[in-house]
Amino acid sequence: MLKGIFVDDRPDQKQYAELLEQARDGSISVNFLAPNVDATQLVEKLIDANLDFVALDFRLDEVPVVSQYGSFTKANRYKASAVAQQFRDRVIDDPKLDIPLILLSQEDNITTMFSKDTTALDLFDAVLKKEVLTEARASIEVAQQVIGMAKAYQVAKNLLGSSNMVAHLCEIDEKTEGFVLEHQAIRAIGRLEFAHQIVPKIRKLLIDQPGILVSTEQLLARLGVAPGSAEISALLNRLDQDGMAYQGILSDGWPRWWWHRVEIWAKGTLGETPGTLLGTERVRRLNEALGLSLEAAKSRWSCSSDEYFWTACQCCGQPTELDHAVLVYEENRPPFVDPQRVCWKCIETGDSWIEIDDVDSEIVKKIQNGQLAN
């Protein structure tokens, strides 16, 4: 069982430690700890506890804890970022002490304070809203991601300094996936010396962005399958059995698929590469080959399945065609990462909260002005 601690200065917030534990009962235990010592002592206390992960509320100074130092008293006033920085500094001396640090805070604290503190953004492996833990399905997903990060750190620490570290971490078969290691940014991971550098970098380059690996949403979009299809689990099980699923670190929390494997499989199954077929034809051939009753995706803009679906919208998550999607602004996107897009419908309805690339600014204006109607 994985062991963690949630640090918060408000005793009534203990419920979130309990909710996280209950979401994956039997897999993780989460104790609650008040920051009743100064930041340096708190870090030592956390390290001495031999934990698999630590979650911290951002505001650890809302209810200042007064501690006695000899004849003096002192109120502890620090935020999670101060603790995280000292924790990371501390493990420089002993990389085996490295564990995931998770920010678990109220949504307003995250949006109004933490997100503006640019020095703190890279200190945490994940930023989670407390409110999410009150939703049953979402809490299970969050708990699984915490488990995935904790296991990833364990594997990374065991492989520090080893040859072919990245290949082992990502379970790359160098005969079939050797091309992955040809990318300079991925090879560079092998030179990193700490788990808190390695795990976030792999997540950023391979997990969070479609390209070499794709999420299930992206997978379904490229196959032209409606996300609500009744037999999706049968399709995914087939792909898993045929070796398409990514099994490397972080796969416990973020299911991903090797796109080049899926593409080869799809070409053999469909008779053509998926992108050359309309959604209706892709799904018809899939159903015929696999004996399933999958439904074809439907464009949110044209309301038709006769579209060349290729990506999942970054806002609504629905399959969308490149003809009716705009580019997301991405700074320094590696060449092996696919551009992310937002569907025209999310632009029209105002549901897009993501910055759109200037190259598509005119299209955005026309949609918002009603000049492009579906």
Side-chain angles (χ1 to χ4, degrees):
M1 179 183 290
L2 297 171
K3 183 173 67 171
I5 276 180
F6 173 46
V7 181
D8 198 314
D9 62 336
R10 292 171 53 189
D12 62 321
Q13 301 300 290
K14 182 180 179 181
Q15 61 173 314
Y16 294 106
E18 296 168 349
L19 288 170
L20 182 58
E21 180 174 299
Q22 292 165 7
R24 269 289 177 256
D25 192 26
S27 297
I28 55 176
S29 67
V30 187
N31 291 325
F32 181 80
L33 178 67
N36 54 5
V37 291
D38 66 34
T40 301
Q41 291 175 309
L42 177 60
V43 168
E44 291 304 319
K45 183 179 288 190
L46 295 173
I47 288 175
D48 291 343
N50 192 27
L51 302 166
D52 297 299
F53 65 90
V54 171
L56 302 114
D57 181 47
F58 182 64
R59 291 291 305 273
L60 298 176
D61 57 353
E62 290 179 292
V63 184
V65 178
V66 178
S67 300
Q68 190 74 32
Y69 297 89
S71 60
F72 300 96
T73 58
K74 180 181 178 182
N76 294 318
R77 296 183 181 276
Y78 49 81
K79 295 181 173 61
S81 51
V83 178
Q85 183 63 67
Q86 289 199 40
F87 195 103
R88 295 306 191 203
D89 290 343
R90 177 67 173 77
V91 301
I92 295 298
D93 298 326
D94 187 352
K96 293 295 184 180
L97 298 176
D98 223 350
I99 57 175
L101 300 181
I102 299 158
L103 188 75
L104 179 61
S105 196
Q106 299 288 350
E107 181 175 7
D108 57 348
N109 284 341
I110 293 173
T111 55
T112 62
M113 287 181 284
F114 171 74
S115 60
K116 296 178 181 179
D117 185 358
T118 56
T119 61
L121 296 178
D122 294 330
L123 292 172
F124 297 94
D125 295 270
V127 178
L128 306 175
K129 301 171 184 175
K130 288 179 177 178
E131 294 85 349
V132 172
L133 291 176
T134 63
E135 306 168 13
R137 184 173 179 179
S139 67
I140 292 174
E141 182 177 337
V142 165
Q144 197 59 46
Q145 290 175 354
V146 171
I147 291 171
M149 284 185 285
K151 289 183 176 180
Y153 265 69
Q154 292 174 348
V155 174
K157 287 188 290 186
N158 288 333
L159 290 172
L160 288 175
S162 63
S163 60
N164 300 321
M165 180 178 69
V166 178
H168 291 306
L169 287 171
C170 299
E171 296 198 13
I172 293 173
D173 183 337
E174 295 195 48
K175 292 181 179 179
T176 56
E177 276 81 53
F179 72 92
V180 175
L181 301 176
E182 293 176 4
H183 295 292
Q184 188 173 9
I186 293 177
R187 288 201 313 274
I189 296 172
R191 299 194 293 270
L192 300 176
E193 299 180 4
F194 303 96
H196 71 262
Q197 298 170 334
I198 295 165
V199 175
K201 183 64 72 172
I202 289 177
R203 181 177 167 187
K204 178 181 179 180
L205 294 178
L206 294 177
I207 302 296
D208 288 348
Q209 305 178 95
I212 294 170
L213 301 178
V214 295
S215 66
T216 298
E217 286 181 342
Q218 293 284 350
L219 173 75
L220 295 176
R222 295 185 183 194
L223 294 178
V225 176
S229 294
E231 293 194 284
I232 283 178
S233 59
L235 170 64
L236 298 181
N237 286 338
R238 173 64 182 272
L239 293 174
D240 190 9
Q241 291 169 8
D242 289 350
M244 310 294 153
Y246 167 71
Q247 303 290 342
I249 65 166
L250 298 171
S251 59
D252 294 277
W254 291 268
R256 292 295 183 267
W257 307 88
W258 289 106
W259 174 244
H260 71 284
R261 293 187 191 179
V262 176
E263 192 170 34
I264 293 169
W265 173 89
K267 186 174 182 179
T269 302
L270 304 176
E272 297 180 54
T273 54
T276 63
L277 299 170
L278 294 170
T280 47
E281 185 60 18
R282 287 181 223 177
V283 172
R284 186 190 71 77
R285 295 188 189 188
L286 276 175
N287 286 335
E288 186 177 280
L290 305 179
L292 300 176
S293 299
L294 299 166
E295 298 174 20
K298 187 174 289 187
S299 168
R300 292 190 69 211
W301 188 258
S302 69
C303 299
S304 172
S305 296
D306 289 328
E307 297 284 0
Y308 292 98
F309 299 103
W310 191 247
T311 189
C313 172
Q314 288 300 297
C315 292
C316 67
Q318 294 297 306
T320 188
E321 59 282 10
L322 302 186
D323 287 345
H324 298 140
V326 291
L327 283 168
V328 171
Y329 172 69
E330 299 176 85
E331 187 175 2
N332 300 323
R333 176 173 56 83
F336 53 85
V337 170
D338 295 338
Q340 300 185 63
R341 291 176 165 85
V342 172
C343 72
W344 284 13
K345 194 66 178 178
C346 282
I347 298 297
E348 181 189 53
T349 59
D351 292 331
S352 172
W353 64 90
I354 299 174
E355 184 177 358
I356 304 303
D357 197 293
D358 283 348
V359 71
D360 281 337
S361 59
E362 288 302 314
I363 294 176
V364 171
K365 290 177 183 177
K366 288 180 180 180
I367 295 171
Q368 293 173 335
N369 294 334
Q371 294 173 266
L372 291 174
N374 55 350

